[in-house]
């Protein structure tokens, strides 16, 4: 059974840090493109960071220089290190995956087949 479980969300003050985890089961992360997305009420779900099976990465313009995506193949887990957090980062963060045979990156939600249930990140002023 393919499953993605996010964890690590919570309440943090502006300027603080948080590390999210996406634990995968039922498939091998190394064979998939993994993306972190976030969504707030009334807005479209947006790509935050993605990592390909080759290790290539993508970052949304709003998080460049602040967030880092990484993977640990031994643990079959993908992480999102979030630094210098801003109130605008407040959202539900989702982990998504899609099997791929190429090193390409996909940044729209429709490009992904599997999704976690999300974890809430709240950044206070």
């Amino acid at each position: 059974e393919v499953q993605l479980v996010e964890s690590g969300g919570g309440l943090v003050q502006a300027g603080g840090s948080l590390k999210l985890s996406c634990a995968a089961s039922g498939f091998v992360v190394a064979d998939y493109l993994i993306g972190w997305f976030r969504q707030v009420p009334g807005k479209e779900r947006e790509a935050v960071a993605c990592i390909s099976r080759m290790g290539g990465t993508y970052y949304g313009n709003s998080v460049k220089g602040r967030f880092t995506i990484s993977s640990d193949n031994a643990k079959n887990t993908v992480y999102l290190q979030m630094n210098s957090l801003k109130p605008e980062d407040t959202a539900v963060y989702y982990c998504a995956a899609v099997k791929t045979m190429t090193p390409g990156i996909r940044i729209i939600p429709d490009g992904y087949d599997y999704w976690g249930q999300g974890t809430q990140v709240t950044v206070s002023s």
Side-chain angles (χ1 to χ4, degrees):
E1 177 184 350
V2 173
Q3 188 173 40
L4 296 168
V5 180
E6 303 96 335
S7 62
L11 176 64
V12 64
Q13 292 184 340
S17 298
L18 213 55
K19 188 173 184 178
L20 306 184
S21 297
C22 174
S25 60
F27 71 98
V28 178
V29 164
D31 294 331
Y32 284 68
L33 169 66
I34 307 295
W36 283 99
F37 291 77
R38 66 186 183 188
Q39 188 168 30
V40 299
K43 297 187 67 176
E44 295 290 321
R45 188 169 297 187
E46 65 172 338
V48 176
C50 307
I51 186 166
S52 75
R53 62 192 298 269
M54 294 292 120
T57 58
Y58 162 87
Y59 295 97
N61 289 334
S62 64
V63 306
K64 286 182 179 178
R66 300 189 297 121
F67 291 9
T68 303
I69 188 171
S70 63
S71 63
D72 186 331
N73 290 340
K75 295 182 178 180
N76 210 37
T77 299
V78 177
Y79 304 94
L80 183 67
Q81 179 65 51
M82 310 164 69
N83 298 326
S84 301
L85 283 162
K86 305 175 181 179
E88 305 93 274
D89 295 318
T90 295
V92 176
Y93 283 71
Y94 298 90
C95 179
V98 60
K99 188 175 184 179
T100 178
M101 298 295 291
T102 73
I105 297 289
R106 302 175 188 181
I107 62 172
I108 60 172
D110 284 351
Y112 292 80
D113 293 329
Y114 307 106
W115 293 82
Q117 294 186 339
T119 185
Q120 176 70 47
V121 172
T122 302
V123 184
S124 63
S125 300

